Amino acid sequence: MKSKKFFSKFLSRYLCGNLAAMAMVVFLLCVGVKYGIDIYTHHGEAIPVPNLLHKNFNDAQYILNELGLNIEVSDTGYVRSLPPGCILMQNPPAGEHVKSGHIIYVTINASDSPMIPIPDVIDNCSLREAMAKLTAMGFRLGQPKYIPGEQDWVYGLLVNGRQVHAGDKVSVDSPLIIEVGNGKLPASDSVNFVDPSEDEQDQTDEGGEDPFQEVQGTDPNAPSSEDNSSSNQANPDN
């Protein structure tokens, strides 16, 4: 094949049209990918996260839906002063910019008070230590109940009039009454002290006679019986 004929086929309209079509497809594909990714990822879009703290969950859900954001409960907590369903925490925090469709994770206030196990404070610590430990755990404390025992020593815990022990689960809304010693010994632990002189006097009065008898001692200068017998043998006439 001559070179002139080869170049004439290479520069034909059919081949040039195919090459132009292929170039156009590549160009459109690149442009579509670029703008398609930007649309899919919301490139350049920034929606400020509103403050949802202490709002009702339904109200917060409505606010986020209006902004194109989603909401999801990640955890529950309990704050006695706030109503059930109230939002306690949110992530991301208020003011942070996110893209459309982003999920805002929230912690809501539980409807029921949590049950917490009683710590080991009974017969194990003083009143001050027990009050500090129970208060730090979230328990409500009533006026301590003083009973006979060692001063300021914890002897028991009462919830609604019943005794509870370490490990028992109690609602944090139920007030705890600490049974604490008042520094006075109970009657069962009292000790009767006896004066020994009075005990001896009682025994003498009951028997009529003193059980102890006085023993007469001997005079060391008085002659002994052996000396008297020797003297009698020496003087038979006497």
Side-chain angles (χ1 to χ4, degrees), residues 211-229:
F212 299 99
Q213 296 180 357
E214 183 179 357
V215 178
Q216 299 292 335
T218 58
D219 186 358
N221 296 325
S224 63
S225 59
E226 294 180 358
D227 294 339
N228 291 334
S229 60

Side-chain angles (χ1 to χ4, degrees), residues 76-80 82-86 88 108-116 170-174:
T76 59
Y78 184 74
V79 177
R80 188 179 295 113
L82 296 177
C86 178
L88 304 178
I108 63 173
N109 198 28
S111 58
D112 298 325
S113 59
M115 305 289 286
I116 302 179
V170 178
S171 171
V172 293
D173 281 339
S174 300

Side-chain angles (χ1 to χ4, degrees), residues 127-138:
L127 174 61
R128 178 175 296 181
E129 293 172 341
M131 292 179 66
K133 184 177 294 185
L134 294 172
T135 303
M137 295 179 65

Side-chain angles (χ1 to χ4, degrees), residues 5-71:
K5 188 176 181 180
F6 173 78
F7 284 107
S8 63
K9 290 184 177 181
F10 181 78
L11 298 175
S12 64
R13 292 181 179 181
Y14 179 77
L15 181 60
C16 292
N18 288 336
L19 293 176
M22 291 176 61
M24 182 63 66
V25 170
V26 173
F27 175 76
L28 293 177
L29 183 62
C30 293
V31 173
V33 170
K34 180 181 183 302
Y35 288 100
I37 292 176
D38 291 342
I39 294 173
Y40 180 76
T41 59
H42 303 281
H43 180 70
E45 183 180 7
I47 301 174
V49 178
N51 186 10
L52 305 176
L53 296 181
H54 300 170
K55 284 183 169 55
N56 184 271
F57 178 80
N58 294 331
D59 297 337
Q61 188 176 31
Y62 176 79
I63 294 173
L64 292 179
N65 288 339
E66 290 293 315
L67 295 174
L69 302 176
N70 299 319
I71 186 171

Side-chain angles (χ1 to χ4, degrees), residues 26 59 103 114 121-122 142 144 167 198 223:
V26 173
D59 297 337
I103 299 176
V121 297
I122 301 174
E198 294 180 359

Side-chain angles (χ1 to χ4, degrees), residues 144-206:
K145 179 181 179 182
Y146 288 90
I147 61 175
E150 185 179 346
Q151 182 73 32
D152 290 337
W153 189 250
V154 175
Y155 287 97
L157 289 175
L158 298 175
V159 177
N160 297 326
R162 65 180 180 88
Q163 290 280 350
V164 292
H165 305 88
D168 294 345
K169 290 188 176 181
V170 178
S171 171
V172 293
D173 281 339
S174 300
L176 292 179
I177 305 299
I178 302 177
E179 291 184 321
V180 59
N182 58 8
K184 299 179 182 179
L185 291 176
S188 59
D189 293 342
S190 61
V191 179
N192 295 325
F193 296 97
V194 179
D195 189 354
S197 61
E198 294 180 359
D199 186 42
E200 293 177 0
Q201 184 64 32
D202 293 340
Q203 293 180 358
T204 304
D205 294 341
E206 292 176 0

